[in-house]
Amino acid sequence: MKIKTLYWLVTAVIPIAVFLLGALPSSAQAPQACQYVLGNLLPPTPENQDALRVQINSFVNIPEQEQCLWQLLNKDGALTNDRQNATVRAAVQKAFETQKNVTTTQTGSAPGSGGATSAVSKPSTPMSAATEFGGISASTNAQTLTLQTPLDGIPRALASHGMIPYCSTPVMAVTLDGKCVSNRLLSKLDRIGLGVSLNTSSTSKTASGTATGTSQGTTQQVSLTSLGTKVPSFAGVFVKITAIKGNAKVKLPDPSKVVAKPEAAAAAALLGDLAVNKNYSAWQDCLRTKLAAVPAAQRAAVFTEYYSQIVDVLFWNLPMDCTATPKVSKASEAINPSTLPASQRAFLDHLETWLASAELVQANFDQVLTETAASPLLSVEYDYNTPQNQPSNSTFKLVGSFSLGQAVAPPAASSTGSSSAPTKPWTFTGNAGLSIYNYTPASTIPNASLLRDVQVGTEIDRSIASSKWPSILGKIGDSTASLTYYFQYQSSPSILNVTPGSPFNGITITGLPSTATQIFAQKGEIHVAQLKWGLGKGKNVKFPIAVTYSNRTELITHPAWGLQFGVSYDLSVFMGTGSSK
Amino acid sequence: MPPKSKGKSNPPPAAPAAAGVPGPGGASGGGTGPCKLTPMGGDGNAFQMPATSMPVSIALSTPDGKSEFLSVSIFKHSDLTNPLPNPPTPSATSFTLNLPALIGDSYVVIMVVGSLPSAKPVWITEACSGATKLDWIATPVNTTGEFALTVI
């Protein structure tokens, strides 16, 4: 008999009990945003009476509980797509606008690559493509194409298309129950930037020819063959890791810099919708009574039984049932936004508008909070360079940058098409690094060692607002003027790989022995001064143009003037995350 | 004879502006003067005060200093679509209302608060000796607060 009882207990009673317990309302069923509010209500003691009344009033006032309501409505993410795109696009665009405007981002290739227009590296990596002509310490000019992106670039782009859920703020993370790519994660990924440079001035531009046929007086037919490759060659790759970010010290931003009125307008619209709903008043009255009367431990049950009826009241036109009897409820059913009557569709629109507004306010708040454009940044950079006809080398560099001055948004931002993200006017950047050959140079080269050179550089950038000289700069837009000094001590002579009888681009050497495979120049100190003007600040297309003077180049021991220019394009535009400016 | 202006002029009652006077920065809830706002009825966050007692200072009481006022908008309850012009400019923790009497209607004051991710909920109070509690905002999840004000 006892064994039979135990058998029934195990096979039937316990499973049924577990099932029923699982079906019972529990605090775990309250959405996360609602739980947060519930959990912060004061204990119902006599001294808390007045304060608790104010708290309960807030909790039953839907224009103050949009997150909670939306989580109640968004069963299994049914409404997520209804609001995701517009919200995300706007928030992500903010991030990219900031990135475009700052003077701490590298617009082109690393200085070690052949065609670089910049003598020093910048700590941040934008999602961009840049083609440049120049070269800082190289003896011959080259043209390069550089593609670069921070690691968060692709996830941000996917999120902007609604392909992955995105929560740029804690508010949104709660709303989506944490099932989204968070701003925290993206900020970590943003610390790593990758770039690859291709040499587009390849040796195919050099050709060799052989006379064919017979001479026709002063003319002669020849057969020409291009030398070297016909496709862009690999020039280098770089990895940049941000060690210190600008938001290390957190303090509340100036409230006047955050645009928050759209959120208030959306809340007012919800208030207007609810003012004409009598069932809503009944729901509020019921909840005030119930929540004030129960001990704190029973609030979750009150929530499940009564608070969740807000979905019935607002979307299923059911009256509020404040009795203890079993309810007729459709609260567990998913809302189909496409079949809602006009008034309920309007309410849902207002709710989603509030959520989008709150998201933008938070994005704006975070943007001003971090002031990425103005804070110190320190990055560690590794460049793998394969200069044309030279042994490959690796450069290890510390890159620091900080901005000074009052951060202001361009006053004529909308009319000029410039970004409205505020930036500080002065930016100082410093580099210190060393470069090594990837292979030990031949012992026959005097004074050659693995260490190729040590280098330091500094750059001062000054933002120039077009509004200051509208008659001159009005058509050009905002820009940046930069002054750069770069020093390189060559501890080993520069080495060139040669093939006797095969000339290479830009350099002609006579009297070379047929056995020579490498030539080297005289080592020494290189001092470079550069004046640069960066057009297109805050826009998708940037045009850096620079004039450089150096006392010598890597190979030539005489002073040289150089001209560098380039075009950098913000690739986020193609990802749907940037503005079309 | 109308009273002499002290540099500010209240708009006519027919088209009241949400004239705000920037409050002293750094306030965090309390004040020293007598409280002017009285609750209307037992329920809801509705308050009233006489126009002659204007202006009134409102404070953000934040336990951890991780939240601040971002904006204040004022509507008439009968028209929640159009905010009144010239709303108060809040400092981080306070703003001041200076509103004329409104017959047969009430004002709706909507506040937006910005918070750090680790912020604790905040109280909206009148900056007076009793620190009358007007609203509670469960930041950082919620960021909008609201109370109704009848000015007689």
Side-chain angles (χ1 to χ4, degrees), chain A residues 11-33:
Chain A
T11 57
V13 178
I14 290 177
I16 289 170
V18 168
F19 173 78
L20 290 175
L21 281 172
L24 282 175
S26 69
S27 60
Q29 288 177 313
Q32 202 175 346

Side-chain angles (χ1 to χ4, degrees), chain A residues 36 58 61 64-65 253 263, chain B residues 68 135-136 139 142-144 146:
Chain A
Y36 177 77
S58 169
N61 188 20
E64 298 188 46
Q65 303 296 333
E263 183 179 327
Chain B
E68 64 178 358
D135 197 12
W136 177 73
T139 55
N142 297 332
T143 51
T144 304
E146 169 259 327

Side-chain angles (χ1 to χ4, degrees), chain A residues 485-501:
Chain A
Y485 171 72
Y486 171 85
F487 170 76
Q488 183 186 102
Y489 173 72
Q490 292 179 299
S491 63
S492 294
S494 284
I495 300 168
L496 279 173
N497 297 322
V498 296
T499 305

Side-chain angles (χ1 to χ4, degrees), chain A residues 110-126:
Chain A
S113 73
T117 55
S118 298
V120 301
S121 288
K122 294 293 184 75
S124 304
T125 311

Side-chain angles (χ1 to χ4, degrees), chain A residues 316-517:
Chain A
W316 298 102
N317 292 321
L318 292 172
M320 179 63 196
D321 185 349
C322 205
T323 65
T325 57
K327 311 288 184 298
V328 177
S329 175
K330 290 190 155 191
S332 60
E333 294 184 24
I335 303 288
N336 183 352
S338 61
T339 59
L340 286 174
S343 62
Q344 291 169 353
R345 176 69 251 188
F347 180 82
L348 187 60
D349 284 343
H350 290 151
L351 180 63
E352 290 171 356
T353 302
W354 185 92
L355 292 164
S357 304
E359 172 70 5
L360 283 180
V361 170
Q362 191 68 44
N364 194 188
F365 182 86
D366 287 346
Q367 181 185 331
V368 181
L369 183 72
T370 53
E371 290 190 320
T372 308
S375 303
L377 283 163
L378 185 68
S379 295
V380 180
E381 179 179 326
Y382 169 72
D383 306 335
Y384 180 87
N385 301 312
T386 59
Q388 270 192 303
N389 305 109
Q390 292 183 40
S392 66
N393 62 76
S394 294
T395 304
F396 302 88
K397 211 181 289 182
L398 270 179
V399 183
S401 185
F402 66 96
S403 299
L404 291 175
Q406 179 72 33
V408 287
S414 56
S415 60
T416 61
S418 298
S419 167
S420 59
T423 52
K424 294 188 175 180
W426 293 97
T427 301
F428 295 85
T429 305
N431 286 189
L434 58 87
S435 182
I436 59 169
Y437 285 116
N438 292 334
Y439 303 98
T440 307
S443 56
T444 51
I445 300 173
N447 300 319
S449 65
L450 202 61
L451 181 65
R452 183 179 185 267
D453 64 73
V454 292
Q455 50 190 266
V456 292
T458 183
E459 180 173 304
I460 302 170
D461 300 304
R462 167 69 191 183
S463 298
I464 303 171
S466 57
S467 56
K468 286 198 169 182
W469 298 284
S471 57
I472 302 169
L473 300 174
K475 299 284 182 192
I476 299 173
D478 296 347
S479 57
T480 307
S482 308
L483 185 64
T484 304
Y485 171 72
Y486 171 85
F487 170 76
Q488 183 186 102
Y489 173 72
Q490 292 179 299
S491 63
S492 294
S494 284
I495 300 168
L496 279 173
N497 297 322
V498 296
T499 305
S502 293
F504 48 87
N505 191 26
I507 299 175
T508 304
I509 298 166
T510 54
L512 200 63
S514 59
T515 53
T517 56

